[in-house]
Amino acid sequence: MTADSLRTVSVARIGPGRFTAANSRGDTIAFGTGSDGGFTPVELFLAAIGGCSAADVDVATARHTEPTTFSLSVEGHKIEEDGGNRMTDLKVTFTVAFPEGEAGDRARTILPRAVKTSHDKLCTVSRTVEAGTPVAVNVADAN
């Protein structure tokens, strides 16, 4: 592993059930348990899967023409299994339209391939989920 491959996010508690995640560029996003609105960690997980694939597909198709519609939904079921929680039956559904004409025809033609390539090769988030990468957890000394 190299310093170029490392990605980090820090998470800080900002109140009861409320947290802020920050990246190395200084961007932040607030989230929490969902009891007072905002995104939950599971919803951020689903957004990460969708956002990763959306970025891949957008790069591939928008080089031909700007879409007239570009949205996707990501869904899954949160279940309890063997005494622990996890997500199952994850599904990403794209709804994309392009203007009429030659450029729109090219974008429509490559859309299915772009979605498949994102899933099979490019989307780091969903590929990591499907690979079942272990997550190590530690407790650091706060003093």
Side-chain angles (χ1 to χ4, degrees), residues 14-19 29-44:
I14 57 174
R18 297 289 302 155
F19 306 90
I29 185 167
F31 64 97
T33 59
S35 60
D36 62 349
F39 278 85
T40 67
V42 169
E43 291 164 338
L44 290 175

Side-chain angles (χ1 to χ4, degrees), residues 3-135:
D4 290 340
S5 69
L6 182 64
R7 303 294 187 269
T8 63
V9 172
S10 63
V11 176
R13 182 180 187 271
I14 57 174
R18 297 289 302 155
F19 306 90
T20 301
N23 64 22
S24 61
R25 294 173 305 284
D27 297 313
T28 62
I29 185 167
F31 64 97
T33 59
S35 60
D36 62 349
F39 278 85
T40 67
V42 169
E43 291 164 338
L44 290 175
F45 168 73
L46 295 174
I49 291 171
C52 183
S53 195
D56 294 338
V57 171
D58 186 50
V59 166
T61 59
R63 69 176 60 137
H64 299 286
T65 188
E66 282 294 306
T68 55
T69 301
F70 192 111
S71 65
L72 56 147
S73 64
V74 185
E75 63 182 46
H77 293 274
K78 183 178 175 183
I79 64 168
E80 184 179 329
E81 182 177 78
D82 299 326
N85 298 332
R86 70 179 186 93
M87 294 294 293
T88 188
D89 300 324
L90 299 172
K91 182 170 90 172
V92 179
T93 303
F94 280 83
T95 303
V96 184
F98 299 99
E100 293 301 317
E102 189 176 317
D105 292 343
R106 282 193 309 271
R108 272 186 290 283
T109 298
I110 69 161
L111 176 62
R113 186 175 75 236
V115 170
K116 182 173 178 15
T117 301
S118 176
H119 176 267
D120 294 349
K121 296 181 180 178
L122 300 176
C123 179
T124 305
V125 179
S126 63
R127 287 181 47 77
T128 301
V129 170
E130 288 187 337
T133 302
V135 177

